[in-house]
């Protein structure tokens, strides 16, 4: 019998453990047994099941899974013994045998210290605005020890008894959001004393959550600078999108159904043509202080481009003259993303309606704001940034898929190898990010 790949059953195990613990917490809160902490139900015990340990040690995860299976089998046997008197002896014997032969890993391996906010999700929504706010908090309160680049080499780090950990690693992904929040708020200590001071009374809850958002971006930035890849998957930051003359909308409206391509544009890097395989989101640097959401043709492009009016565009579409219409560069009144067409070679016109988008995406790309133009990202349908094509590179021929469980091209049929971008999109769909608070497989 062929067993499922490790990442399949391990993700199912982690998801089940997380769901059971979260349901238990909300059930205890509904019964009045668990109280509140910082606006959400408080975990009532000082330990929890450590999903992050199971991710690191697959052998431990396998033993833990067999232990759970043995306990479940024993429970079923006991229930059978209670309801079926004739089979009571055999059912109880089977239950005892299952418990005797089951692996029993030490609780110290699969339990870890918990805090009241261990199961609190970050309420900020990982927005561009929250990340920008967190940047200011981090610079003022954290950079002296953790370093401006997050590598733990700030000017005051050498004076500490223990060097701060680097963020150019999977550190943040191995800890639940609520526990990171608690440690920033109340500090950390070991047997020898305080290892990090707390910020209770100096920072609000909102500021701490924002700083944690920024730390995830900083982790991606440090990872790109160190090794050319993100140490952990990072979500596409939430923001407001303005498409032509249509009302502004939330990027969340695309999540769950659409892949998204993000492109940094300027005068030398005009908006790309639309592609039916994904929706295109443009980000542009705000150099004037006035964030104009209407795209215009760049000077270099305008010399060879004519605008077409809506009636003319309709006529061209009706007469099906793709060669001529592709030569026409700009589009008429834009429509909603789902209704747009590439018949006329329409250029993307959905713009990130936030002046903070440019610096945030520059950090995610691990580059400076001055060198960002021309960079492209791909996000999967679930909203995870999965691939990056840096400016000046040969597009997706040099832009690799990030967060995978297998060698990319090996599993693709020969007919699928049309171009690097198509291959990347197929991999994104075939290998989704499986994320669990406190640990994930990718």
């Amino acid at each position: 019998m062929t067993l499922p790949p490790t990442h399949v059953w391990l993700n199912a195990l982690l998801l089940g453990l997380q769901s059971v613990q979260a349901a238990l917490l909300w059930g205890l809160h509904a019964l009045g047994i668990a109280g509140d902490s910082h606006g959400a139900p408080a975990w009532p015990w000082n330990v929890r099941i450590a999903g992050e340990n199971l991710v690191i040690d697959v052998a431990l995860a396998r033993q833990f899974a067999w232990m759970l299976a043995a306990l479940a089998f024993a429970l079923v046997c006991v229930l059978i013994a209670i309801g079926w008197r004739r089979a009571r002896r055999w059912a109880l014997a089977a239950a005892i045998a299952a418990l005797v032969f089951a692996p029993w890993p030490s609780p110290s391996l699969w339990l870890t210290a918990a805090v009241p906010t261990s199961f609190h999700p970050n309420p900020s929504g990982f927005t561009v605005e929250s990340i920008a706010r967190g940047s200011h908090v981090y610079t003022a309160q954290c950079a002296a020890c953790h370093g401006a680049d997050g590598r733990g080499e700030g000017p005051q780090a050498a004076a500490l008894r223990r060097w701060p950990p680097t963020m150019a690693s999977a550190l943040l992904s191995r800890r639940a959001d609520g526990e990171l929040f608690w440690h920033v708020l109340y500090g950390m200590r070991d047997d020898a004393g305080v290892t990090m001071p707390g910020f209770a009374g100096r920072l609000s809850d909102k500021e701490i959550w924002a700083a944690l958002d920024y730390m995830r971006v900083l982790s991606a930035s440090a990872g790109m600078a160190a090794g050319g890849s993100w140490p952990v998957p990072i979500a596409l930051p939430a923001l407001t999108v303005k498409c032509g003359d249509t009302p502004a909308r939330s990027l969340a409206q695309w999540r769950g159904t659409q892949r998204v391509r993000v492109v940094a544009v300027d005068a030398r890097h005009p908006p790309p043509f639309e592609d039916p395989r994904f929706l295109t989101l443009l980000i542009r640097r705000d150099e004037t202080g006035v964030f104009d959401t209407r795209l215009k043709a760049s000077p270099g492009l305008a010399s060879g481009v004519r605008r077409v009016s809506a009636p003319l565009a309709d006529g061209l579409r009706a007469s099906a003259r793709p060669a001529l219409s592709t030569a026409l560069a700009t589009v008429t009144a834009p429509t909603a993303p789902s209704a747009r067409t590439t018949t006329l070679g329409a250029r993307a016109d959905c713009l990130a309606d936030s002046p903070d988008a440019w610096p945030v995406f520059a950090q995610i790309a691990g580059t400076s704001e001055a060198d960002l133009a021309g960079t492209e990202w791909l996000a999967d349908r679930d909203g995870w940034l999965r691939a990056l094509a840096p400016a000046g590179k040969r597009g997706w021929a040099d832009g690799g898929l990030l967060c995978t469980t297998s060698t990319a091209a090996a599993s693709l049929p020969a007919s699928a190898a049309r171009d690097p971008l198509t291959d990347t999109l197929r991999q994104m769909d075939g290998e989704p990010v499986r994320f669990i608070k406190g640990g994930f497989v990718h």
Side-chain angles (χ1 to χ4, degrees):
M1 184 178 74
T2 302
L3 295 177
T6 299
H7 67 273
V8 174
W9 67 262
L10 185 51
N11 271 301
L13 174 64
L14 293 173
L15 180 59
L17 294 176
Q18 182 75 10
S19 300
V20 168
Q21 291 180 100
L24 176 61
L25 172 59
W26 282 99
L28 294 175
H29 184 263
L31 295 174
I33 299 175
D36 292 288
S37 179
H38 297 274
W43 183 250
W45 297 290
N46 60 359
V47 294
R48 63 172 176 84
I49 298 175
E52 59 271 34
N53 292 352
L54 302 180
V55 169
I56 295 172
D57 190 343
V58 177
L60 172 63
R62 189 174 289 110
Q63 288 182 337
F64 187 83
W66 280 114
M67 180 188 73
L68 292 181
L71 288 172
F73 178 78
L75 178 61
V76 170
C77 289
V78 170
L79 293 177
I80 292 175
I82 294 175
W84 190 5
R85 295 183 59 184
R86 294 180 59 184
R88 179 173 301 173
R89 179 182 302 176
W90 296 107
L92 291 177
I96 294 172
L99 297 178
V100 168
F101 290 104
W104 293 95
S106 172
S108 63
L109 299 178
W110 52 271
L111 290 177
T112 190
V115 297
T117 58
S118 283
F119 289 87
H120 287 200
N122 189 332
S124 71
F126 198 66
T127 64
V128 165
E129 291 74 19
S130 176
I131 295 168
R133 184 185 307 113
S135 172
H136 298 300
V137 175
Y138 180 90
T139 300
Q141 304 291 341
C142 312
C145 294
H146 289 276
D149 59 359
R151 299 183 66 84
E153 300 173 353
Q156 297 181 15
L160 301 177
R161 184 171 52 83
R162 178 184 296 178
W163 280 83
T166 177
M167 295 182 190
S169 66
L171 170 68
L172 295 180
S173 71
R174 302 305 185 202
R175 304 301 295 269
D177 287 346
E179 291 179 356
L180 293 172
F181 169 84
W182 185 271
H183 293 320
V184 174
L185 189 63
Y186 297 110
M188 299 179 67
R189 64 179 60 246
D190 59 15
D191 294 338
V194 175
T195 59
M196 189 185 85
F199 290 86
R202 285 190 285 171
L203 295 177
S204 66
D205 289 3
K206 187 175 182 179
E207 288 174 321
I208 294 176
W209 287 120
L212 292 176
D213 280 342
Y214 176 71
M215 289 179 190
R216 296 194 181 278
V217 171
L218 198 58
S219 175
S221 178
M224 289 299 298
S229 65
W230 297 314
V232 297
I234 184 170
L236 176 60
L239 44 75
T240 301
V241 178
K242 189 72 169 64
C243 298
D245 296 325
T246 62
R249 72 195 70 196
S250 170
L251 182 66
Q253 294 183 4
W254 293 351
R255 190 157 296 166
T257 58
Q258 299 285 353
R259 307 185 192 100
V260 178
R261 173 180 61 176
V262 182
V263 184
V265 298
D266 65 2
R268 294 184 298 113
H269 301 83
F273 289 101
E274 284 285 18
D275 191 311
R277 294 172 291 185
F278 39 67
L279 294 172
T280 299
L281 172 65
L282 308 176
I283 57 173
R284 188 175 56 177
R285 191 171 190 175
D286 180 18
E287 298 177 341
T288 64
V290 178
F291 200 71
D292 182 12
T293 58
R294 293 184 59 86
L295 293 177
K296 298 178 175 64
S298 63
L301 181 68
S303 60
V305 170
R306 293 195 293 133
R307 276 194 182 275
V308 288
S309 62
L312 177 58
D314 293 338
L316 288 172
R317 186 180 297 108
S319 59
R321 297 173 61 185
L324 175 60
S325 48
T326 301
L328 301 173
T330 54
V331 291
T332 60
T335 60
S338 60
R340 275 203 294 264
T341 176
T342 59
T343 303
L344 296 177
R347 288 191 177 272
D349 69 345
C350 287
L351 188 68
D353 192 14
S354 171
D356 295 320
W358 189 273
V360 167
F361 277 90
Q363 284 212 300
I364 293 175
T367 189
S368 67
E369 295 182 34
D371 297 328
L372 182 65
T375 302
E376 298 186 23
W377 301 259
L378 286 176
D380 62 22
R381 301 179 195 276
D382 296 324
W384 293 102
L385 288 172
R386 298 297 304 279
L388 169 70
K393 300 294 183 179
R394 293 172 45 246
W396 299 108
D398 291 334
L401 184 68
L402 306 175
C403 186
T404 63
T405 55
S406 64
T407 302
S411 60
L412 292 175
S415 60
R418 300 176 182 177
D419 61 78
L421 177 55
T422 299
D423 290 347
T424 300
L425 293 174
R426 287 178 179 271
Q427 287 179 255
M428 285 170 48
D429 291 344
E431 296 188 22
V433 172
R434 302 167 178 90
F435 178 77
I436 302 296
K437 298 292 184 182
F440 59 91
V441 171
H442 274 278

